[in-house]
Amino acid sequence: MTARTVTVLDYGSGNVHSVVRALEHVGANVVLSAKPDDVLNADGLLVPGVGAFAAVMKGLKDVDALRMIGRRVAGGRPVLGICVGLQVLFDEGVEHGVRTPGMGEWPGTVERLKADVVPHMGWNTVEPPEDTVLFDGLADERFYFVHSYGVQDWSFDVTQPAMKPPQVTWSDHGGRFIAAVENGPLSATQFHPEKSGDAGAQLLRNWIDGLR
């Protein structure tokens, strides 16, 4: 089978080379780019994100990524967000009292975790839904998190009865927060699969196996 092409969105967010290496390790042809042809035509698009919500949103806007991500999702072309790349898919982020609009793909607000120790840094278990694709074969595995903010409430109104609601995976650090969402072509993880050893590699492999 021909290797799938994955574009890692290059918009100035942190160390993306570990993501590139992790994808190559599981058999993808990887391009690091923000060029429209590379972003729109790849089998899969991976959107990394580290740092502040507002800074990531600005970086995405600077390379016209919001429009390109929207086009991919509307056309059923797979997108995977990681860490703040998950957070910006929600309605808004609140950091130090400042509200920044997100992409609004999913309802919810990214807020500071309520745990006694923040950031949440290290390995943690997750609770995926029964019909998950991303976590197939990964029951009871642990994943690597580094974050101080997260989405702690989920309310999704299905306006069309035939529409399958998003599948939400939870984790816990001083309270429950969203660890991953699977929603048709659009998926995202709060943890870093590229830093999560064999479990993270299997999750990326599961995602790549679903690319078309």
Side-chain angles (χ1 to χ4, degrees):
M1 187 176 72
T2 304
R4 297 292 188 237
T5 298
V6 176
T7 293
V8 175
L9 187 63
D10 185 15
Y11 65 100
S13 175
N15 178 19
V16 295
H17 297 290
S18 58
V19 177
V20 170
R21 287 194 298 270
L23 289 166
E24 290 174 341
H25 176 70
V26 296
N29 288 329
V30 186
V31 178
L32 179 61
S33 175
K35 295 178 181 177
D37 282 352
D38 294 332
V39 172
L40 294 172
N41 296 328
D43 295 314
L45 174 67
L46 189 144
V47 182
V50 296
F53 187 104
V56 169
M57 281 299 296
K58 181 182 184 304
L60 292 171
K61 289 176 181 177
D62 286 347
V63 298
D64 197 26
L66 305 191
R67 179 187 65 84
M68 294 190 290
I69 292 169
R71 278 187 59 183
R72 284 192 63 95
V73 173
R77 306 294 304 282
V79 177
L80 176 66
I82 290 178
C83 197
V84 188
L86 169 141
Q87 296 177 3
V88 294
L89 294 168
F90 286 85
D91 284 333
E92 64 177 358
V94 181
E95 294 184 351
H96 309 295
V98 177
R99 293 182 178 272
T100 302
M103 295 182 63
E105 293 287 344
W106 300 317
T109 300
V110 179
E111 300 177 288
R112 187 174 174 84
L113 298 176
K114 297 179 174 66
D116 292 335
V117 178
V118 175
H120 172 215
M121 183 181 297
W123 299 83
N124 204 345
T125 55
V126 300
E127 305 165 26
E130 288 185 2
D131 52 352
T132 179
V133 173
L134 278 185
F135 295 91
D136 184 37
L138 293 171
D140 304 318
E141 292 288 352
R142 299 165 73 86
F143 297 88
Y144 191 80
F145 292 83
V146 184
H147 64 119
S148 298
Y149 295 82
V151 181
Q152 296 156 64
D153 296 296
W154 175 263
S155 176
F156 189 87
D157 294 326
V158 178
T159 55
Q160 300 173 352
M163 179 181 177
K164 182 180 180 180
Q167 300 157 282
V168 180
T169 293
W170 295 87
S171 189
D172 192 289
H173 181 70
R176 282 162 61 83
F177 66 88
I178 291 176
V181 181
E182 299 167 70
N183 184 198
L186 184 60
S187 300
T189 67
Q190 177 63 71
F191 55 83
H192 289 270
E194 78 280 9
K195 297 179 181 178
S196 296
D198 291 343
Q202 182 60 52
L203 183 139
L204 291 174
R205 195 175 290 112
N206 289 346
W207 179 67
I208 289 170
D209 285 348
L211 301 182
R212 66 179 193 274

